[in-house]
Amino acid sequence: FLNQNQLLPKALSIAEFESMSVIVPDYTMIDEDSRVLLLKEASKFENFSKLKIEREFLVFLKNSTFLFRFFDELFANMVDLDELNSADTYADFSEHIEILSELLKRYKKLLDEQKLYDRINLREVYKLNEEFLKSHDGFLIHLEGFLNRFELELFEKIAKIKPLKISLKIDRFSKKLISIFSDFGSN
């Protein structure tokens, strides 16, 4: 954080900064146990059995980890399952993608009905915490990794409210990120 009234800027991890930069009014963050139970509830439809994922609790608990990782990855990269289904690369998996899409829709519906959120539906329910953002003069992010598409979108929105600078460690792995930043007119 950059603030004129401080001797030293305050440092946070990117995850901490993101969590302070967004709010989800009228919703509560779901805990990990409830997340699994809700996904199990969402899986109660006929075609789910075609995924060959057992619904017995302990087996489902183990497999839910893979499902959540897949859904979290889709969220982070802002990929819609319908996009995957229309891509030739995944043509052999179209039936599975349709089932996963149904599972995701049912899960999100249950989250919404219960006024809960998690990473999977965060994009649909969050708002910027403008009070927090406006209470600082600006933000300087020291980046030594990669930002996913959601983080890029979030930082772009934050930069419209307060100055946001990103200091990027340049190496052979950051070339793609550099080209993304140049698309934003950054240097």
Side-chain angles (χ1 to χ4, degrees):
F1 305 121
L2 306 174
N3 216 332
Q4 291 178 349
N5 298 331
Q6 290 179 296
L7 291 175
L8 295 172
K10 185 176 180 179
L12 296 174
S13 71
I14 288 180
E16 290 170 321
F17 176 63
E18 288 174 10
S19 72
M20 295 176 81
S21 298
V22 301
I23 55 173
V24 185
D26 304 322
Y27 282 73
T28 304
M29 176 72 151
I30 192 169
D31 62 79
E32 290 300 316
D33 295 334
S34 298
R35 198 176 189 219
V36 173
L37 294 172
L38 212 58
L39 186 66
K40 188 174 185 301
E41 178 69 26
S43 71
K44 289 182 180 176
F45 61 99
E46 189 175 324
N47 282 343
F48 183 78
S49 62
K50 292 181 181 178
L51 290 179
K52 306 281 190 238
I53 296 176
E54 192 63 42
R55 292 195 70 254
E56 190 275 322
F57 183 74
L58 292 176
V59 177
F60 189 85
L61 179 65
K62 179 183 175 193
N63 288 312
S64 68
T65 304
F66 302 113
L67 292 168
F68 280 124
R69 268 196 239 140
F70 177 68
F71 291 146
D72 288 343
E73 195 67 28
L74 292 175
F75 159 77
N77 291 294
M78 297 170 50
V79 174
D80 188 275
L81 269 169
D82 294 333
E83 291 174 32
L84 287 182
N85 216 8
S86 63
D88 289 340
T89 310
Y90 300 102
D92 293 340
F93 305 103
S94 65
E95 183 179 26
H96 289 113
I97 291 172
E98 286 175 20
I99 295 167
L100 289 168
S101 181
E102 177 67 20
L103 177 64
L104 183 59
K105 286 176 190 165
R106 292 170 64 93
Y107 177 70
K108 285 182 174 183
K109 184 176 186 250
L110 289 171
L111 284 170
D112 195 48
E113 287 172 355
Q114 296 183 32
K115 296 292 187 190
L116 297 169
Y117 76 96
D118 74 6
R119 296 174 297 276
I120 291 171
N121 71 331
L122 180 63
R123 245 179 67 224
E124 291 128 28
V125 295
Y126 87 93
K127 293 181 180 182
L128 288 178
N129 184 351
E130 291 192 28
E131 185 177 319
F132 164 74
L133 297 171
K134 289 179 179 178
S135 71
H136 294 84
D137 296 329
F139 305 97
L140 174 62
I141 296 174
H142 294 283
L143 184 61
E144 292 187 15
F146 191 79
L147 295 174
N148 62 46
R149 288 180 64 189
F150 173 74
E151 292 168 328
L152 287 166
E153 177 186 83
L154 179 64
F155 291 167
E156 183 180 15
K157 288 179 180 180
I158 291 170
K160 291 178 181 174
I161 294 172
K162 283 291 180 166
L164 183 135
K165 295 180 180 182
I166 297 177
S167 168
L168 176 63
K169 180 181 176 184
I170 298 175
D171 58 25
R172 65 181 183 185
F173 302 110
S174 60
K175 287 181 181 179
K176 184 175 180 182
L177 194 55
I178 292 168
S179 70
I180 291 170
F181 285 142
S182 64
D183 290 344
F184 284 109
S186 302
N187 51 21

Short mmCIF file of all heavy atoms in Angstrom, two decimals, residues 22-54:
data_model
loop_
_atom_site.label_atom_id
_atom_site.label_comp_id
_atom_site.label_asym_id
_atom_site.label_seq_id
_atom_site.Cartn_x
_atom_site.Cartn_y
_atom_site.Cartn_z
N VAL A 22 -12.02 -6.96 -2.41
CA VAL A 22 -13.36 -7.35 -2.85
C VAL A 22 -14.25 -7.61 -1.65
O VAL A 22 -13.78 -8.02 -0.58
CB VAL A 22 -13.35 -8.60 -3.77
CG1 VAL A 22 -12.51 -8.36 -5.01
CG2 VAL A 22 -12.88 -9.83 -3.04
N ILE A 23 -15.52 -7.35 -1.85
CA ILE A 23 -16.53 -7.67 -0.85
C ILE A 23 -17.65 -8.41 -1.55
O ILE A 23 -17.85 -8.28 -2.76
CB ILE A 23 -17.07 -6.42 -0.12
CG1 ILE A 23 -17.60 -5.39 -1.11
CG2 ILE A 23 -16.03 -5.83 0.79
CD1 ILE A 23 -18.29 -4.20 -0.47
N VAL A 24 -18.38 -9.19 -0.78
CA VAL A 24 -19.51 -9.93 -1.33
C VAL A 24 -20.70 -9.66 -0.41
O VAL A 24 -20.94 -10.40 0.54
CB VAL A 24 -19.20 -11.44 -1.43
CG1 VAL A 24 -20.35 -12.17 -2.11
CG2 VAL A 24 -17.90 -11.68 -2.16
N PRO A 25 -21.41 -8.56 -0.71
CA PRO A 25 -22.54 -8.19 0.15
C PRO A 25 -23.62 -9.26 0.17
O PRO A 25 -23.93 -9.86 -0.86
CB PRO A 25 -23.08 -6.91 -0.48
CG PRO A 25 -22.08 -6.47 -1.49
CD PRO A 25 -21.24 -7.66 -1.83
N ASP A 26 -24.17 -9.49 1.33
CA ASP A 26 -25.30 -10.40 1.53
C ASP A 26 -24.96 -11.88 1.32
O ASP A 26 -25.86 -12.72 1.28
CB ASP A 26 -26.49 -10.02 0.63
CG ASP A 26 -26.93 -8.58 0.84
OD1 ASP A 26 -26.91 -8.13 2.00
OD2 ASP A 26 -27.26 -7.92 -0.16
N TYR A 27 -23.70 -12.20 1.13
CA TYR A 27 -23.28 -13.59 0.95
C TYR A 27 -22.25 -13.94 2.01
O TYR A 27 -21.54 -13.07 2.51
CB TYR A 27 -22.65 -13.82 -0.43
CG TYR A 27 -23.65 -13.93 -1.56
CD1 TYR A 27 -24.33 -12.83 -2.03
CD2 TYR A 27 -23.89 -15.16 -2.17
CE1 TYR A 27 -25.26 -12.93 -3.06
CE2 TYR A 27 -24.80 -15.27 -3.21
CZ TYR A 27 -25.48 -14.15 -3.65
OH TYR A 27 -26.38 -14.27 -4.67
N THR A 28 -22.15 -15.22 2.31
CA THR A 28 -21.16 -15.72 3.26
C THR A 28 -20.26 -16.71 2.54
O THR A 28 -20.73 -17.51 1.73
CB THR A 28 -21.88 -16.45 4.42
OG1 THR A 28 -22.82 -15.56 5.01
CG2 THR A 28 -20.89 -16.92 5.47
N MET A 29 -18.98 -16.65 2.87
CA MET A 29 -18.01 -17.59 2.28
C MET A 29 -18.30 -18.98 2.82
O MET A 29 -18.40 -19.18 4.02
CB MET A 29 -16.59 -17.16 2.64
CG MET A 29 -15.52 -18.11 2.16
SD MET A 29 -15.35 -18.00 0.39
CE MET A 29 -13.65 -18.44 0.18
N ILE A 30 -18.42 -19.94 1.92
CA ILE A 30 -18.70 -21.32 2.31
C ILE A 30 -17.43 -21.97 2.84
O ILE A 30 -16.33 -21.72 2.34
CB ILE A 30 -19.28 -22.11 1.10
CG1 ILE A 30 -19.85 -23.46 1.56
CG2 ILE A 30 -18.26 -22.28 0.00
CD1 ILE A 30 -20.67 -24.17 0.49
N ASP A 31 -17.57 -22.80 3.86
CA ASP A 31 -16.40 -23.52 4.38
C ASP A 31 -16.17 -24.78 3.55
O ASP A 31 -17.04 -25.21 2.80
CB ASP A 31 -16.59 -23.86 5.87
CG ASP A 31 -17.77 -24.77 6.10
OD1 ASP A 31 -17.64 -25.99 5.87
OD2 ASP A 31 -18.84 -24.26 6.52
N GLU A 32 -15.00 -25.37 3.67
CA GLU A 32 -14.61 -26.50 2.84
C GLU A 32 -15.53 -27.71 3.01
O GLU A 32 -15.86 -28.39 2.04
CB GLU A 32 -13.15 -26.90 3.10
CG GLU A 32 -12.13 -25.89 2.61
CD GLU A 32 -12.19 -25.63 1.10
OE1 GLU A 32 -12.32 -26.60 0.31
OE2 GLU A 32 -12.13 -24.46 0.71
N ASP A 33 -15.95 -28.00 4.23
CA ASP A 33 -16.82 -29.15 4.45
C ASP A 33 -18.18 -28.95 3.79
O ASP A 33 -18.70 -29.84 3.12
CB ASP A 33 -17.01 -29.41 5.95
CG ASP A 33 -15.72 -29.82 6.64
OD1 ASP A 33 -14.82 -30.36 5.95
OD2 ASP A 33 -15.59 -29.59 7.86
N SER A 34 -18.75 -27.77 3.98
CA SER A 34 -20.05 -27.46 3.37
C SER A 34 -19.94 -27.45 1.85
O SER A 34 -20.89 -27.80 1.15
CB SER A 34 -20.57 -26.11 3.87
OG SER A 34 -20.76 -26.14 5.25
N ARG A 35 -18.80 -27.05 1.36
CA ARG A 35 -18.57 -27.02 -0.08
C ARG A 35 -18.73 -28.42 -0.67
O ARG A 35 -19.40 -28.61 -1.69
CB ARG A 35 -17.13 -26.50 -0.30
CG ARG A 35 -16.82 -26.00 -1.65
CD ARG A 35 -15.40 -25.44 -1.67
NE ARG A 35 -15.19 -24.75 -2.94
CZ ARG A 35 -14.08 -24.78 -3.64
NH1 ARG A 35 -13.04 -25.43 -3.18
NH2 ARG A 35 -13.99 -24.15 -4.78
N VAL A 36 -18.14 -29.41 -0.03
CA VAL A 36 -18.24 -30.79 -0.50
C VAL A 36 -19.68 -31.28 -0.40
O VAL A 36 -20.20 -31.91 -1.34
CB VAL A 36 -17.30 -31.72 0.31
CG1 VAL A 36 -17.53 -33.18 -0.06
CG2 VAL A 36 -15.85 -31.34 0.09
N LEU A 37 -20.35 -30.99 0.71
CA LEU A 37 -21.73 -31.42 0.89
C LEU A 37 -22.65 -30.80 -0.16
O LEU A 37 -23.54 -31.48 -0.70
CB LEU A 37 -22.22 -31.09 2.29
CG LEU A 37 -21.53 -31.84 3.43
CD1 LEU A 37 -21.96 -31.30 4.79
CD2 LEU A 37 -21.81 -33.34 3.33
N LEU A 38 -22.42 -29.55 -0.47
CA LEU A 38 -23.25 -28.88 -1.47
C LEU A 38 -22.99 -29.43 -2.88
O LEU A 38 -23.92 -29.60 -3.67
CB LEU A 38 -23.00 -27.37 -1.43
CG LEU A 38 -24.17 -26.47 -1.77
CD1 LEU A 38 -25.35 -26.71 -0.86
CD2 LEU A 38 -23.75 -25.02 -1.70
N LEU A 39 -21.74 -29.72 -3.16
CA LEU A 39 -21.41 -30.32 -4.47
C LEU A 39 -22.05 -31.71 -4.57
O LEU A 39 -22.57 -32.08 -5.63
CB LEU A 39 -19.90 -30.40 -4.68
CG LEU A 39 -19.48 -30.88 -6.06
CD1 LEU A 39 -19.87 -29.86 -7.14
CD2 LEU A 39 -17.98 -31.13 -6.12
N LYS A 40 -22.03 -32.45 -3.48
CA LYS A 40 -22.66 -33.77 -3.48
C LYS A 40 -24.16 -33.62 -3.73
O LYS A 40 -24.74 -34.38 -4.51
CB LYS A 40 -22.40 -34.50 -2.16
CG LYS A 40 -22.86 -35.95 -2.14
CD LYS A 40 -22.42 -36.62 -0.85
CE LYS A 40 -22.73 -38.09 -0.82
NZ LYS A 40 -24.12 -38.43 -0.95
N GLU A 41 -24.77 -32.64 -3.13
CA GLU A 41 -26.19 -32.36 -3.36
C GLU A 41 -26.43 -31.99 -4.82
O GLU A 41 -27.39 -32.45 -5.44
CB GLU A 41 -26.65 -31.22 -2.43
CG GLU A 41 -28.08 -30.81 -2.59
CD GLU A 41 -29.08 -31.86 -2.11
OE1 GLU A 41 -28.72 -32.67 -1.24
OE2 GLU A 41 -30.21 -31.87 -2.62
N ALA A 42 -25.56 -31.19 -5.39
CA ALA A 42 -25.69 -30.76 -6.79
C ALA A 42 -25.52 -31.93 -7.75
O ALA A 42 -26.02 -31.89 -8.88
CB ALA A 42 -24.66 -29.67 -7.10
N SER A 43 -24.86 -32.98 -7.31
CA SER A 43 -24.60 -34.12 -8.19
C SER A 43 -25.79 -35.08 -8.29
O SER A 43 -25.70 -36.10 -8.97
CB SER A 43 -23.36 -34.88 -7.72
OG SER A 43 -23.63 -35.57 -6.51
N LYS A 44 -26.89 -34.74 -7.65
CA LYS A 44 -28.07 -35.61 -7.69
C LYS A 44 -28.86 -35.40 -8.98
O LYS A 44 -29.92 -34.79 -8.98
CB LYS A 44 -28.97 -35.32 -6.48
CG LYS A 44 -28.42 -35.79 -5.18
CD LYS A 44 -29.41 -35.51 -4.06
CE LYS A 44 -28.88 -35.98 -2.72
NZ LYS A 44 -29.79 -35.61 -1.63
N PHE A 45 -28.30 -35.89 -10.07
CA PHE A 45 -29.03 -35.91 -11.33
C PHE A 45 -28.57 -37.13 -12.11
O PHE A 45 -27.46 -37.64 -11.90
CB PHE A 45 -28.88 -34.60 -12.12
CG PHE A 45 -27.49 -34.23 -12.53
CD1 PHE A 45 -27.03 -34.48 -13.82
CD2 PHE A 45 -26.62 -33.60 -11.63
CE1 PHE A 45 -25.75 -34.12 -14.21
CE2 PHE A 45 -25.34 -33.24 -12.02
CZ PHE A 45 -24.90 -33.50 -13.31
N GLU A 46 -29.43 -37.61 -12.97
CA GLU A 46 -29.24 -38.91 -13.61
C GLU A 46 -27.92 -39.04 -14.36
O GLU A 46 -27.20 -40.02 -14.20
CB GLU A 46 -30.40 -39.19 -14.56
CG GLU A 46 -30.39 -40.59 -15.11
CD GLU A 46 -31.61 -40.86 -15.96
OE1 GLU A 46 -32.69 -40.36 -15.63
OE2 GLU A 46 -31.45 -41.60 -16.96
N ASN A 47 -27.56 -38.08 -15.17
CA ASN A 47 -26.37 -38.21 -16.02
C ASN A 47 -25.05 -38.16 -15.24
O ASN A 47 -24.01 -38.51 -15.77
CB ASN A 47 -26.36 -37.12 -17.09
CG ASN A 47 -27.31 -37.47 -18.22
OD1 ASN A 47 -27.72 -38.60 -18.36
ND2 ASN A 47 -27.65 -36.48 -19.02
N PHE A 48 -25.09 -37.72 -13.99
CA PHE A 48 -23.85 -37.63 -13.20
C PHE A 48 -23.16 -38.98 -13.12
O PHE A 48 -21.92 -39.06 -13.13
CB PHE A 48 -24.14 -37.09 -11.80
CG PHE A 48 -22.89 -36.91 -10.99
CD1 PHE A 48 -22.06 -35.82 -11.20
CD2 PHE A 48 -22.53 -37.85 -10.04
CE1 PHE A 48 -20.88 -35.67 -10.46
CE2 PHE A 48 -21.36 -37.71 -9.30
CZ PHE A 48 -20.54 -36.62 -9.52
N SER A 49 -23.93 -40.05 -13.08
CA SER A 49 -23.34 -41.40 -12.97
C SER A 49 -22.44 -41.74 -14.15
O SER A 49 -21.54 -42.57 -14.03
CB SER A 49 -24.44 -42.46 -12.84
OG SER A 49 -25.25 -42.45 -14.00
N LYS A 50 -22.63 -41.07 -15.28
CA LYS A 50 -21.80 -41.32 -16.47
C LYS A 50 -20.35 -40.86 -16.26
O LYS A 50 -19.47 -41.26 -17.00
CB LYS A 50 -22.39 -40.64 -17.69
CG LYS A 50 -23.69 -41.28 -18.13
CD LYS A 50 -24.25 -40.59 -19.36
CE LYS A 50 -25.56 -41.24 -19.77
NZ LYS A 50 -26.17 -40.58 -20.93
N LEU A 51 -20.12 -40.03 -15.26
CA LEU A 51 -18.74 -39.60 -14.95
C LEU A 51 -17.98 -40.69 -14.20
O LEU A 51 -16.78 -40.57 -13.99
CB LEU A 51 -18.74 -38.32 -14.11
CG LEU A 51 -19.16 -37.04 -14.79
CD1 LEU A 51 -19.13 -35.87 -13.80
CD2 LEU A 51 -18.29 -36.73 -15.99
N LYS A 52 -18.71 -41.71 -13.78
CA LYS A 52 -18.11 -42.83 -13.04
C LYS A 52 -17.50 -42.36 -11.71
O LYS A 52 -16.47 -42.86 -11.26
CB LYS A 52 -17.04 -43.56 -13.87
CG LYS A 52 -17.52 -44.03 -15.22
CD LYS A 52 -18.31 -45.29 -15.10
CE LYS A 52 -18.56 -45.88 -16.47
NZ LYS A 52 -19.95 -46.04 -16.80
N ILE A 53 -18.14 -41.37 -11.12
CA ILE A 53 -17.74 -40.89 -9.79
C ILE A 53 -18.79 -41.38 -8.80
O ILE A 53 -19.97 -41.04 -8.90
CB ILE A 53 -17.64 -39.35 -9.73
CG1 ILE A 53 -16.53 -38.87 -10.68
CG2 ILE A 53 -17.40 -38.88 -8.31
CD1 ILE A 53 -16.41 -37.37 -10.78
N GLU A 54 -18.34 -42.20 -7.90
CA GLU A 54 -19.22 -42.79 -6.89
C GLU A 54 -19.76 -41.69 -5.97
O GLU A 54 -19.03 -40.77 -5.61
CB GLU A 54 -18.42 -43.82 -6.09
CG GLU A 54 -19.22 -44.72 -5.21
CD GLU A 54 -20.19 -45.60 -5.97
OE1 GLU A 54 -19.82 -46.14 -7.03
OE2 GLU A 54 -21.32 -45.75 -5.49
#
